[in-house]
Amino acid sequence: YTGAVLALALTLTGCNGGGTPGGNSTSASASQSSLAPIEDGSSSANVSSSSASSSSTSASSSALPEYKPVTSKKPGGQEEAKASAFKAVELLYTVSSDVLNSGDAKNADRLSVAAQQGELTQQKANVEKTLATGATYRGASKVELIDGLAGPSVHADGTLVENASVNLRVCEDNSGVKITGKDGKPVDTGATQRFIVKYAVLWNEDDGVWSVVSSELPPLNGPEETSC
């Protein structure tokens, strides 16, 4: 999800803070958002390691850092896997905020350090569409872990990798984000500042990289809490 979707929704609809983001977002499927095992797509998740992390929310298109993916030799136990998966989600928010602050849609390729599969495709599209509106994005979204559960991922041959698939519920906080429309007027984020997002994260056995592969929002008219 990340602040890219918030920015896109607000700049395209002219939201004045009267509600929260609606509907299920990005490419998440019901099975990926549940706690069922996720099929390992490691053959398509080819992430190259780099040397530096961290970010500056005022980064220019020529000054983005070289991000380092979240890696581990093994998924580890329940808590260790959840911690690694959450670090991958945090990295996704860091890179997304940096790219949006840079104002250069070409930087969207950097998102591959933290996202793969359908999530990468959707995140890149969100960033590119947001910047195409002419909006200016400043600041950074933050994310807080609510809860999560690690389970096995499934290879094509049916073998399992324990705790390589993690489902997380997080609280996205956009209170530190300021969006200015193409007309130069500030866009009021209003009630969309804090809300719950679900993420599915996979550990890639080939290179040990943790990547976000899908995300979704709880239905606003459903039984689940949507604010946090």
Side-chain angles (χ1 to χ4, degrees):
Y1 200 82
T2 75
V5 178
L6 170 71
L8 177 61
L10 294 176
T11 53
L12 291 181
T13 63
C15 176
N16 60 4
T20 55
N24 293 339
S25 68
T26 80
S27 58
S29 66
S31 62
Q32 288 176 320
S33 299
S34 70
L35 298 178
I38 301 176
E39 184 171 350
D40 184 2
S42 61
S43 61
S44 63
N46 183 17
V47 181
S48 59
S49 298
S50 48
S51 59
S53 59
S54 187
S55 67
S56 168
T57 56
S58 60
S60 69
S61 60
S62 60
L64 293 189
E66 290 297 322
Y67 305 97
K68 185 177 181 179
V70 178
T71 62
S72 62
K73 292 183 178 179
K74 294 289 183 181
Q78 241 329 295
E79 296 306 314
E80 186 179 353
K82 285 193 293 184
S84 295
F86 183 61
K87 287 180 182 179
V89 172
E90 289 183 306
L91 178 59
L92 179 59
Y93 276 79
T94 295
V95 180
S96 177
S97 292
D98 284 357
V99 173
L100 287 166
N101 277 278
S102 78
D104 188 349
K106 293 180 180 178
N107 286 326
D109 287 339
R110 298 292 194 95
L111 293 161
S112 64
V113 73
Q116 288 295 321
Q117 301 181 22
E119 185 70 9
L120 176 59
T121 300
Q122 189 64 56
Q123 288 285 344
K124 289 176 65 176
N126 291 337
V127 166
E128 291 165 356
K129 289 177 182 177
T130 298
L131 296 179
T133 66
T136 301
Y137 185 101
R138 291 291 179 265
S141 300
K142 296 181 181 179
V143 62
E144 304 161 9
L145 179 62
I146 299 174
D147 55 36
L149 184 63
S153 65
V154 185
H155 286 307
D157 62 3
T159 58
L160 303 179
V161 181
E162 292 299 326
N163 296 325
S165 167
V166 182
N167 288 270
L168 301 174
R169 280 199 318 145
V170 304
C171 180
E172 179 175 321
D173 182 356
N174 293 294
S175 59
V177 173
K178 294 183 179 180
I179 305 169
T180 305
K182 188 177 181 180
D183 58 4
K185 297 180 180 179
V187 178
D188 183 9
T189 58
T192 60
Q193 287 192 353
R194 289 179 64 90
F195 49 87
I196 293 172
V197 191
K198 296 179 180 180
Y199 285 101
V201 187
L202 278 180
W203 178 75
N204 185 332
E205 191 171 15
D206 294 338
D207 54 15
V209 172
W210 289 90
S211 299
V212 181
V213 295
S214 72
S215 61
E216 73 166 351
L217 293 171
L220 294 183
N221 58 352
E224 297 180 83
E225 183 62 50
T226 57
S227 59
C228 53

